[in-house]
Amino acid sequence: MKIVLVEGDITEQRVDAIVNAANSSLMGGGGVDGAIHRRGGPEILEECRALRASRYGRGLPTGQAVATTAGRLPARWVIHTVGPVYSRSEDRSHLLASCYRESLVVADALGVGTVAFPAISTGIYRWPVEDAARIAITAVRRAAPAVVEEVRFVLFNTAAYAVFDSALRDIG
Ligand code: ADP
């Protein structure tokens, strides 16, 4: 499985599945989540409502992942995962790693070849990007999915791209 970095907007990626940095309500929000629902159209939110009415009555727990179709987006699937809010007093790294691992389990189950991730938790949830990049790349490397051939990290600005690039060089 190869790891590719691009600077850009995740909603424009031509991949099989994009990952949404959702919140546990699955009802949309700001950042990546807002962009995905805006560009993907109402179909995604309808499927999220159905998930809330069935499997996830209390919301999607932090660190877990679930797929919907992708509405009008170029991708075929959206994999929703809930990153942890950064805390200086409590180490929540395992939950952030879990987002990447569980999203890849879902992607493998869907049988997809290419998956794009945003830098989960580094926006509204305030995770420092250097630390988040290290956790993300390590988790993806360790996951070694059976079917997924390419993991693409889509970084929203040049600074985040540079941080991920450096972490990828360090970790390999
Ligand atoms: P979280 O709540 O998990 O922190 P956010 O969506 O607020 O999620 O931010 C996660 C990261 O995604 C941030 O680094 C933010 O700059 C970036 N981001 C925001 N919009 C997009 C987009 N359309 N495509 C890719 N990355 C994005």
Side-chain angles (χ1 to χ4, degrees):
M1 184 213 59
K2 68 174 175 180
I3 295 180
V4 176
L5 308 181
V6 301
E7 186 181 335
D9 182 334
I10 200 162
T11 64
E12 293 171 2
Q13 302 300 308
R14 298 195 173 276
V15 287
D16 298 314
I18 65 171
V19 175
N20 181 16
N23 59 62
S24 71
S25 79
L26 294 176
M27 292 294 106
V32 178
D33 201 6
I36 287 174
H37 285 288
R38 232 176 1 258
R39 296 205 46 176
E43 198 181 313
I44 303 173
L45 197 57
E46 272 166 38
E47 285 187 51
C48 287
R49 281 214 179 86
L51 285 166
R52 283 299 306 273
S54 56
R55 269 167 80 188
Y56 296 108
R58 294 175 165 196
L60 181 65
T62 304
Q64 294 192 25
V66 66
T68 64
T69 55
R72 297 197 282 260
L73 294 172
R76 191 148 165 236
W77 305 99
V78 176
I79 299 172
H80 307 264
T81 189
V82 182
V85 176
Y86 181 70
S87 163
R88 282 202 295 187
S89 56
E90 188 190 4
D91 182 9
R92 299 176 179 165
S93 313
H94 63 290
L95 291 169
L96 185 54
S98 174
C99 288
Y100 290 95
R101 194 170 58 240
E102 293 304 315
S103 295
L104 288 173
V105 168
V106 171
D108 248 0
L110 293 169
V112 304
T114 51
V115 181
F117 282 98
I120 298 166
S121 289
T122 64
I124 297 159
Y125 287 175
R126 302 186 317 269
W127 207 293
V129 68
E130 282 79 7
D131 197 45
R134 181 186 55 76
I135 293 166
I137 290 167
T138 306
V140 167
R141 272 278 171 261
R142 283 195 187 143
V147 188
V148 177
E149 288 168 350
E150 179 187 319
V151 166
R152 190 182 300 180
F153 286 101
V154 182
L155 293 323
F156 208 39
N157 56 53
T158 311
Y161 180 93
V163 170
F164 269 73
D165 189 46
S166 155
L168 187 56
R169 281 166 210 273
D170 285 351
I171 296 162

